[in-house]
Amino acid sequence: MKAIVIDRPGGPESLKYCEKPDLQPAAGMLTIDVAYAGVGYFEVLLSRGEFMSDFPLPLTPGLEVSGYVRAIGEGVEGFYVGQPVASMTLLGFNGFASIANVRPELTVPLDQLGADLDLATAAASIVNLTTAYMAIKDVYRMRTGDSVLVHAAVGGLGGFLGQVAKRMGAGQVLGTVGNPEKVRLAASFGYDELFVRSDFAKEILKATGQKGVHAVFDPVGGSIRKQSLEVLRPLGHLVVVGNASGEADVPYSFNQIWFSNRQTAGFSLGAYAESNPVETGKAAREALSMLAREEIRAEIHGVYPLEKAAEALTLLEQKNTVGKLVLKV
């Protein structure tokens, strides 16, 4: 089988395209022929070696795939050979390959969504859309009329956070972006207004009549986290869903959180899926069903052949993308 391998840290240039032995079906697993693999900023960080203590090299990256069931491991029910599926390879990676072994609990049959969803869109969406869906529905528990702020608002995750928030009843959906050119994309991603992130705190308070927002969803990290707490209303929530900036963690006093009546929460889909795979898979099916019914939409910035994975990661690293990048296997 064909696969991308990272065997040393060095950024996107360290990716290697190579041949590996075909994977064989394992008990309790599905083997699929991969058609598409989603590309996210996490793969950029992996290529830099930023998680080597947790994920030692060499490894094949890739957290989400779509394709067709190739073989069914012993004990697995509810699937058939040739079935179109999308799956989250959160726990073992290996998505950037022509064959993948996946957990059935984290795999969604695409022919059971009640409407058509193409393979490229499914691969581009399953991880980010499930993250957005669970962060808003289960972690924050959106209430009708709430005002929310989303950082990196037109990225792979942010593009879904805005749309899902609006779909679940948010009254005001605001977002931040990295450059002024992206501000014009507000309406297409469900936002009432977008602001350049470098000066967002003043603008958010102005847009909310100095009241602040009920919730901030932050996939960026770094210094903006303290500013995000400052634009929360009393009893507001900061929901941390990533650290795409790669910046060091920002310390903050729990006593300050206590005295200011603000709340913080974190959500990592991979960590949650490890202990709650059935619940995660159920949420993924519900989220993809919303997409198939065209209640929300996915934005695919570009499709690259598997052997050009390094180019896709380099583009992400430059932070010039809107929506998601996908590899065609």
Side-chain angles (χ1 to χ4, degrees), residues 4 6 15 32 34-44 46 60-67 85-90 93-98 100 102 118-129 156-157 160 288 298-306 308-310 312-313 316 321 323-329:
I4 297 294
I6 304 172
L15 271 63
I32 68 171
V34 178
Y36 294 91
V39 182
Y41 203 79
F42 183 74
E43 280 85 31
V44 174
L46 275 180
T60 292
L63 301 177
E64 55 196 335
V65 296
S66 66
V85 296
S87 187
M88 296 176 281
T89 55
L90 297 163
F93 304 158
N94 295 308
F96 289 11
S98 57
V102 299
D118 67 89
L119 291 170
T121 301
S125 307
I126 186 169
V127 165
N128 282 331
L129 180 52
L157 175 56
F160 284 131
L288 288 182
E299 179 78 20
I300 296 180
H301 186 88
V303 179
Y304 290 76
L306 179 63
K308 301 291 187 181
L313 264 63
L316 269 184
T321 60
K324 188 78 171 184
L325 298 177
V326 176
L327 300 178
K328 184 174 182 179
V329 178

Side-chain angles (χ1 to χ4, degrees), residues 10 22 31 35 42 67 82 104 113 120 159 162 170 194 216 222 234 241 248 252 254 259 302 313:
D22 286 356
T31 303
F42 183 74
L113 295 178
L194 289 177
V216 177
V241 288
Y252 200 80
F254 279 104
F259 291 135
L313 264 63

Side-chain angles (χ1 to χ4, degrees), residues 38-71:
V39 182
Y41 203 79
F42 183 74
E43 280 85 31
V44 174
L45 300 179
L46 275 180
S47 74
R48 295 175 184 168
E50 297 196 14
F51 302 110
M52 286 182 63
S53 59
D54 296 310
F55 310 117
L57 305 179
L59 60 79
T60 292
L63 301 177
E64 55 196 335
V65 296
S66 66
Y68 299 94
V69 175
R70 176 187 179 97

Side-chain angles (χ1 to χ4, degrees), residues 229 234-235 252-264:
L229 286 165
L235 304 184
Y252 200 80
S253 165
F254 279 104
N255 280 343
Q256 285 181 279
I257 293 173
W258 169 31
F259 291 135
S260 65
N261 291 304
R262 294 178 172 112
Q263 303 175 62
T264 60

